[in-house]
Amino acid sequence: MLDDPRTVRITGDDTAAVFRRADDVDAERRPAERREGPVPEAYVWCNLTSGNGIRALWLLLLPFMVVNLAHWMRPTARGHRRTVRLYGLLVRLAGLSLTVLLVAAACEVALDLAAWQCAGTHACAVRHPWLGFLSPGTSDGGWWSTPGRRLALASLVPVALTGLLWFLSLRTWSAYESQQPMTHDPGPEEDGGCTALGRPGFWYGRRLGARLRAAHTAAGLLTVAAAVGSAAARHDRGPGGPAVLGVLGTLLEAALAVGAGVVVAVVCRRGRTERRLDGELDRRLVRCLPLGALVLLAFTLLYAGWERPGWESAGRLPGDAAFGALALAQGLLVIVLAGVAHSLHRTDPGRRAAMRGLAGPAVAMLACALGGVMSGGVSQRVSDWLDGTGTSIPGPPVLLTWQASVIPPLLLLLVVLCGWLARRAWHIARGERAAVEREYPGETGDSGRTRRIASVRAVAALTDRGPRVLAVTSAATLLLGAGALVGALTTDRTPGEATRGSYAVVHGAAETAQALGSWLIGLGFILFVTWGRRAYKDASARRTIGVLWDVGTFWPRAAHPFAPPCYAERAVPDLTWRIATWTRATGGRLVISGHSQGSVLAAATAWQLPQSTRRRVALLTYGSPLERLYGRWFPAHFGPDALSSLHREVDCWRNLYRRTDPIGGPMRLPGDRGPDVDRPALKDPLAYGRTETHPLPAPILGHSDYQADPAFAEERRRLLARLRPGVPAPRHTGEPDGAQGSGGRSSA
């Protein structure tokens, strides 16, 4: 419909809007001239995920987005509210650790590598003239050359990063998530529990978002203050240190510890309020917490910049053990989270739940690994850039080198998994060849054509093997990360140095892994940034990244406030308002037609509608990941009970899918009222060879062009015919049966 040049916007803005054909703009006001069939309209939400080029830079927030997904992957639970709250609390703490890790990585680059090590080493400072005014040798003892003042000046980099994250989170919330949903009284099922998506406050998380934003901003500022103040405090407590400054340093460290405890307490407070539209705001907390952290940071910078004769920077910046503490904390959080998830899964075991309820902990582990890779990649590349010879400065913390060294074995494991998937696809394709020949009887056999169709089906079937791949990868990441942490803490040397003197093969493997891992982690980060830059200029690449956000940013920011914004908190209220106001004004009924991620929005919208409106709605989904992906990975919200309740509450629901589709699939629900949800799998291609209807070879469509299949028009016609009996006319026309069918096709 949107390819029609006569399509016009009837409501909405440049970000998301509803379109109709020009001839149908005022169809409700001209019932006598109404044509046969429904009046289609399209809700376009693509700019929410792949709009301007700035959004491509959201790739840098990928670890935050992934840990936020872990929050929504909890298993289904019945009557275990405390355990559910504990699950959410653990994920929020994991998200907080990622914020601290990101800011600590910025401190490592700016404070340790640049200001402390390179500027404090004459050979390194000479190679980088822009650091000359910070170097005691090249600046002839200038005012900025003392270690404390160098650290205070360099701290502007991580402070600016923290401020940028706060600004982006606040700005994107105003642009995306500040839309208030329609208020309605939830029914007993909505309030009680097949899914939380029907609750009035689900798509409006202002209170929690503001509280987490304040806490994470304060955590970032306190991390910078700790990195700057710890070096000065250690010097003041040493032999010959000034007594007054030593006491002041102790007091500042105690204040920072109290501030960190307050931040953790704020994050540990109760999470989302979904049973009502919570428009309140903890204004005093939201304002005072970041401001208090900023005041502590200012005092710390003043304390560190005080004159201290004889203080010189040597070695690494004190406090690099923070990376080890973060890695240990993240590993323990993931392990405890896995225990909680297993306990929840046992209360209501779902046969189709991914990884038997452990998908959330596995994804949280993946988020922590991504954060470590990005942090280590930046540190390694900056260290190599500052010290090309590798001899003038000590370089990044030993743990980051150990973590880089486990990348090669992890990649080797991924290669093995890819080989297993390829072998599995080959076996599936062999079995599908006979099925393809049975589905096209009477056709002249073409072995090449049969193999292509069977191969596409086999590759599409690999989607269902995703949980196994994630399980093996997450478990290996946890074990390798634990080994790296133990190696770094017990030896305090890089892998190559720690294995010197052992067997030659062991030493050679360690040095190879260390060198290769360093290059791989740096190369991966460079490719990451390059992809983001390309997407900034290239609309097609930007759309590709937009597809990634379709799933990752569908969910509200409940675990991390700096994750990319949730587009559904704009899209679902848009659709709910449009459907509810249209049905109320016209008295008509409508078909919501959704493809792929649009079908997820359609289901979420139907749950948000008042029950009286929901009964006037039919669903037509195609290429839908509702059960295949969302039902398996998010069982608490899209599990079998939730989808069955949706089937019961709407007027009718039909779903189309193909066996060549790697994303869409059947709903696997019984037809307890009206026709079954799933139509038998559609043929793809529509014709095996050349026919009267298809004189040229028909393409294999996979996930696209469902509307080109005759089955789409047939099912749409049946739904409209089912809705038509008893449909009242628009209230202002007086016509006896002026039904208007509205196809709310979500376009990406």
Side-chain angles (χ1 to χ4, degrees):
M1 191 188 93
L2 294 176
D3 290 334
D4 191 331
R6 296 168 296 175
T7 302
V8 296
R9 184 172 68 194
I10 60 172
T11 184
D13 54 22
D14 293 335
T15 303
V18 173
F19 288 81
R20 279 187 180 183
R21 292 191 177 96
D23 295 340
D24 296 330
V25 169
D26 57 348
E28 289 84 357
R29 300 179 183 177
R30 298 181 290 107
E33 302 175 14
R34 188 170 61 248
R35 62 179 186 179
E36 291 292 330
V39 177
E41 63 181 35
Y43 177 70
V44 183
W45 50 279
C46 55
N47 284 336
L48 289 172
T49 56
S50 59
N52 60 44
I54 296 296
R55 292 173 191 157
L57 299 179
W58 290 349
L59 280 171
L60 301 177
L61 307 178
L62 185 61
F64 303 157
M65 182 183 76
V66 174
V67 78
N68 192 65
L69 281 177
H71 173 88
W72 300 105
M73 288 181 170
R74 71 166 177 83
T76 304
R78 302 294 183 191
H80 291 75
R81 289 191 176 183
R82 291 185 178 180
T83 311
V84 170
R85 291 177 183 175
L86 177 60
Y87 181 95
L89 166 63
L90 293 171
V91 179
R92 291 199 300 275
L93 289 176
L96 181 64
S97 72
L98 287 175
T99 297
V100 175
L101 178 61
L102 175 67
V103 178
C107 291
E108 170 62 26
V109 169
L111 275 66
D112 187 12
L113 294 176
W116 182 267
Q117 295 186 31
C118 189
T121 305
H122 181 73
C124 184
V126 168
R127 288 197 300 269
H128 302 282
W130 56 277
L131 289 174
F133 74 102
L134 297 177
S135 174
T138 58
S139 67
D140 196 19
W143 192 84
W144 286 107
S145 63
T146 62
R149 292 168 187 165
R150 296 203 308 263
L151 294 177
L153 182 61
S155 68
L156 295 179
V157 174
V159 169
L161 175 63
T162 305
L164 177 62
L165 291 174
W166 170 85
F167 172 75
L168 290 177
S169 178
L170 182 64
R171 183 174 179 270
T172 53
W173 185 89
S174 300
Y176 286 77
E177 299 151 312
S178 59
Q179 310 292 323
Q180 289 198 13
M182 292 190 68
T183 57
H184 68 277
D185 296 328
E189 288 191 358
E190 293 171 346
D191 188 61
C194 286
T195 179
L197 273 73
R199 296 173 182 168
F202 186 88
W203 298 109
Y204 192 70
R206 180 187 185 192
R207 189 173 190 176
L208 176 64
R211 193 166 69 236
L212 288 180
R213 182 164 56 245
H216 282 245
T217 303
L221 296 175
L222 292 176
T223 301
V224 181
V228 175
S230 61
R234 193 179 78 159
H235 174 268
D236 294 338
R237 287 193 297 265
V244 176
L245 290 180
V247 173
L248 183 58
T250 302
L251 292 176
L252 274 176
E253 288 184 329
L256 291 175
V258 171
V262 171
V263 168
V264 172
V266 170
V267 173
C268 290
R269 288 182 62 183
R270 184 174 179 177
R272 291 166 53 86
T273 302
E274 298 172 348
R275 285 182 167 80
R276 59 185 176 88
L277 191 61
D278 192 0
E280 299 178 7
L281 193 64
D282 305 321
R283 298 186 183 277
R284 185 171 298 178
L285 173 66
V286 169
R287 292 175 181 174
C288 293
L289 189 58
L291 183 60
L294 190 60
V295 170
L296 275 177
L297 174 62
F299 276 113
T300 303
L301 298 183
L302 182 63
Y303 161 73
W306 204 264
E307 187 69 32
R308 293 176 175 84
W311 186 20
E312 297 180 354
S313 59
R316 296 187 179 93
L317 183 68
D320 62 351
F323 287 99
L326 280 173
L328 178 61
Q330 288 177 344
L332 292 176
L333 282 172
V334 170
I335 293 173
V336 176
L337 185 65
V340 173
H342 178 66
S343 175
L344 289 174
H345 180 71
R346 289 179 61 187
T347 64
D348 187 15
R351 183 178 58 86
R352 294 276 297 169
M355 296 177 57
R356 298 185 179 180
L358 296 180
V363 169
M365 185 69 250
L366 180 61
C368 295
L370 285 172
V373 166
M374 295 176 66
S375 302
V378 172
S379 302
Q380 290 289 145
R381 291 306 98 210
V382 171
S383 177
D384 292 343
W385 172 56
L386 291 175
D387 184 21
T389 61
T391 57
S392 60
I393 62 175
V398 171
L399 176 61
L400 296 183
T401 305
W402 276 87
Q403 289 177 337
S405 301
V406 303
I407 298 298
L410 187 59
L411 288 180
L412 181 61
L413 175 63
L414 291 177
V415 170
V416 173
L417 288 176
C418 290
W420 172 75
L421 288 175
R423 183 174 179 272
R424 184 62 183 168
W426 181 74
H427 281 289
I428 295 175
R430 288 186 60 186
E432 286 291 338
R433 293 174 191 172
V436 170
E437 294 176 354
R438 287 195 302 270
E439 291 180 15
Y440 297 95
E443 297 278 357
T444 302
D446 182 349
S447 58
R449 177 75 161 169
T450 301
R451 281 196 302 269
R452 282 193 296 272
I453 298 173
S455 298
V456 173
R457 290 184 180 183
V459 172
L462 294 182
T463 301
D464 300 322
R465 272 70 182 177
R468 295 185 183 180
V469 175
L470 178 63
V472 174
T473 304
S474 297
T477 301
L478 180 62
L479 294 176
L480 290 173
L485 180 61
V486 171
L489 293 179
T490 55
T491 65
D492 197 26
R493 293 182 295 174
T494 63
E497 295 174 349
T499 56
R500 185 171 286 121
S502 63
Y503 294 105
V505 63
V506 175
H507 179 60
E511 286 194 328
T512 302
Q514 178 179 327
L516 187 59
S518 175
W519 278 105
L520 286 174
I521 201 172
L523 178 63
F525 184 79
I526 291 173
L527 291 177
F528 209 63
V529 175
T530 303
W531 192 19
R533 279 193 65 187
R534 177 172 175 263
Y536 181 84
K537 301 177 181 179
D538 186 355
S540 63
R542 194 156 62 243
R543 284 192 297 270
T544 301
I545 294 176
V547 173
L548 299 177
W549 298 149
D550 280 356
V551 177
T553 60
F554 170 78
W555 297 98
R557 294 185 275 194
H560 206 296
F562 298 154
C566 168
Y567 65 88
E569 288 196 271
R570 163 69 192 269
V572 173
D574 280 359
L575 287 167
T576 306
W577 276 93
R578 174 59 180 166
I579 293 171
T581 55
W582 184 88
T583 54
R584 187 162 54 243
T586 65
R589 301 188 180 190
L590 52 86
V591 173
I592 308 178
S593 164
H595 171 246
S596 191
Q597 190 68 15
S599 67
V600 184
L601 283 179
T605 300
W607 272 312
Q608 280 287 306
L609 292 171
Q611 288 188 354
S612 58
T613 305
R614 200 179 305 160
R615 289 192 293 267
R616 310 175 74 85
V617 167
L619 287 179
L620 177 58
T621 56
Y622 41 103
S624 173
L626 271 170
E627 195 282 333
R628 190 178 188 184
L629 297 181
Y630 280 81
R632 299 192 67 190
W633 294 95
F634 307 98
H637 304 284
F638 287 95
D641 292 343
L643 296 180
S644 296
S645 70
L646 180 63
H647 182 212
R648 291 192 302 269
E649 293 164 9
V650 298
D651 185 272
C652 190
W653 180 10
R654 290 291 278 167
N655 178 64
L656 310 178
Y657 69 98
R658 300 185 181 114
R659 298 181 64 185
T660 55
D661 190 342
I663 297 175
M667 298 299 158
R668 298 184 171 90
L669 300 178
D672 56 346
R673 186 173 70 88
D676 294 345
V677 172
D678 293 317
R679 181 184 174 111
L682 306 182
K683 281 188 175 182
D684 188 30
L686 290 173
Y688 182 89
R690 300 175 185 268
T691 64
E692 292 290 336
T693 309
H694 299 276
L696 299 180
I700 302 175
L701 298 176
H703 186 60
S704 62
D705 290 335
Y706 271 86
Q707 293 182 343
D709 196 300
F712 177 86
E714 178 186 344
E715 293 296 341
R716 183 167 171 264
R717 184 171 58 252
R718 288 181 177 178
L719 289 176
L720 290 170
R722 178 184 173 88
L723 286 172
R724 192 174 301 279
V727 175
R731 296 176 182 174
H732 57 275
T733 65
E735 292 292 325
D737 37 39
Q740 296 291 334
S742 174
R745 177 168 60 91
S746 299
S747 295

